[in-house]
Each structure stands twice: as C-alpha cells, then as structure tokens.
Amino acid sequence: MYYLEKIEKVRYFHSCSAILGEEVGEAAKKANVLFLKNHGVIVLDDSVEEAMMRLETLEFTCRMMVMVKGSGIPLSVLTDEVAEEFLANRGIRG
C-alpha cells in the first residue's frame, strides 16, 4: 500500500501533445504513479531507488492480480479504515 498509495489515471491524448504534458503535470501534483491510457506508466519519487521500488511493486502486484484472477481465487479487500491506518502508521504498530 505504501508504494502504490497515490495513483492517478491520465486519459488518452496524442503523444508529444501539449495537452498530454499538461495533464501529466497536473496528475503528478496528486500522485507518484501515473497510468497514461494507451501509453504506459510513469513513476515518480525522490530517488531512482525509490522509483524503482514503486515500479517493481506495481509490476509484482499486477502479476499477482493476473494469477489470482486466472485461478479463480476470491480476493478479500481491506476496509478503507484499515488501509488508512496502515498508511498513517506506515505499517508500524505501537
């Protein structure tokens, strides 16, 4: 949850268009993982190492979701309250 905490979707705009750049810029103010429709993913962070960790976490999560959906295993979802508590404490219990 920590590495994929803030995700934004950017709708499709033509490559190299000014509007695509503007939309990416706006989305980057709100999130550090951006899904660009029909283009791919942009990952932002303070260091290359942290950006790579976000990207690897995203890739692993996507692979896991594909495997789970293909196997028919039902998924359970954390409540918003539990997720917010985790992110507030970064997984550290007092």
Side-chain angles (χ1 to χ4, degrees), residues 62-81:
C62 290
R63 285 179 185 215
M64 193 169 52
M65 292 297 295
V66 168
M67 290 174 64
V68 167
K69 287 188 178 252
S71 70
I73 297 171
L75 292 175
S76 60
V77 179
L78 296 177
T79 65
D80 289 343
E81 181 180 283

Side-chain angles (χ1 to χ4, degrees), residues 19-92:
I19 187 74
L20 177 60
E22 291 168 12
E23 292 292 319
V24 167
E26 286 301 311
K29 292 177 185 176
K30 300 179 243 174
N32 43 26
V33 177
L34 311 177
F35 284 101
L36 282 64
K37 186 171 185 176
N38 292 29
H39 291 294
V41 176
I42 296 175
V43 178
L44 309 162
D45 214 309
D46 295 332
S47 71
V48 172
E49 291 81 11
E50 287 294 302
M52 287 298 298
M53 184 60 81
R54 279 187 203 285
L55 186 58
E56 288 173 2
T57 301
L58 176 62
E59 180 183 5
F60 178 78
T61 302
C62 290
R63 285 179 185 215
M64 193 169 52
M65 292 297 295
V66 168
M67 290 174 64
V68 167
K69 287 188 178 252
S71 70
I73 297 171
L75 292 175
S76 60
V77 179
L78 296 177
T79 65
D80 289 343
E81 181 180 283
V82 171
E84 288 170 15
E85 176 192 355
F86 175 86
L87 292 170
N89 298 309
R90 295 295 186 240
I92 300 170

